Amino acid sequence: MAADGQGVTGLPEALDEIRRWRQEERLDMAAHHAENRSEMEALRREMLALSSAVKTAFPGGDFDGHRRYHELLIAREEQRQMIRREVITHLLKGSTWAMLLGLFYMVIKHAKDFLK
């Protein structure tokens, strides 16, 4: 750029270049914005489809009833496990007492034979 009596030469070309660059940036940003909007719209449609699929998964749309049903199943399973533990504990106690009584009987019988 050379200076002349009126100002700097080449300044209008530089300003035009800056304007072209800014216009290209605006167009590029607008293209990205449109692409992002279409991606977001596709995601929104997918989420709405998923949401409606989840809503139709419950009989009559009864979310609370569905939850209560599963809570009932969980409570039943916990009760079964508790009964199983109690039965096993009872069997172990009974077997232990039976074994001790049998051992006591054998000791008494052997002591009786030994003392004769």
Side-chain angles (χ1 to χ4, degrees):
M1 293 198 279
D4 60 5
Q6 294 288 333
V8 179
T9 59
L11 186 59
E13 292 85 13
L15 289 174
D16 285 341
E17 182 64 30
I18 291 172
R19 284 186 191 112
R20 277 193 299 276
W21 176 76
R22 290 190 68 196
Q23 181 63 23
E24 288 173 7
E25 283 293 312
R26 281 190 208 112
L27 291 174
D28 194 35
M29 292 296 280
H32 284 312
H33 180 69
E35 184 179 313
N36 286 343
R37 283 187 70 171
S38 70
E39 287 177 8
M40 291 300 288
E41 182 60 27
L43 284 173
R44 188 183 73 77
R45 281 193 303 266
E46 185 178 341
M47 286 181 3
L48 287 174
L50 182 61
S51 175
S52 75
V54 167
K55 289 177 184 173
T56 59
F58 299 101
D62 186 13
F63 303 111
D64 241 12
H66 188 80
R67 180 185 48 78
R68 285 191 310 269
Y69 172 73
H70 281 281
E71 287 173 350
L72 177 65
L73 290 178
I74 291 168
R76 284 181 184 169
E77 185 58 31
E78 287 173 349
Q79 186 179 23
R80 284 186 185 132
Q81 288 177 359
M82 183 185 70
I83 290 171
R84 284 182 190 139
R85 278 192 302 270
E86 289 176 2
V87 166
I88 290 171
T89 301
H90 181 73
L91 288 173
L92 288 173
K93 283 180 183 178
S95 299
T96 302
W97 281 112
M99 184 187 69
L100 287 174
L101 286 174
L103 186 62
F104 181 72
Y105 175 76
M106 288 172 37
V107 167
I108 295 295
K109 186 176 179 186
H110 184 67
K112 203 184 227 186
D113 291 342
F114 180 73
L115 293 175
K116 276 186 185 180

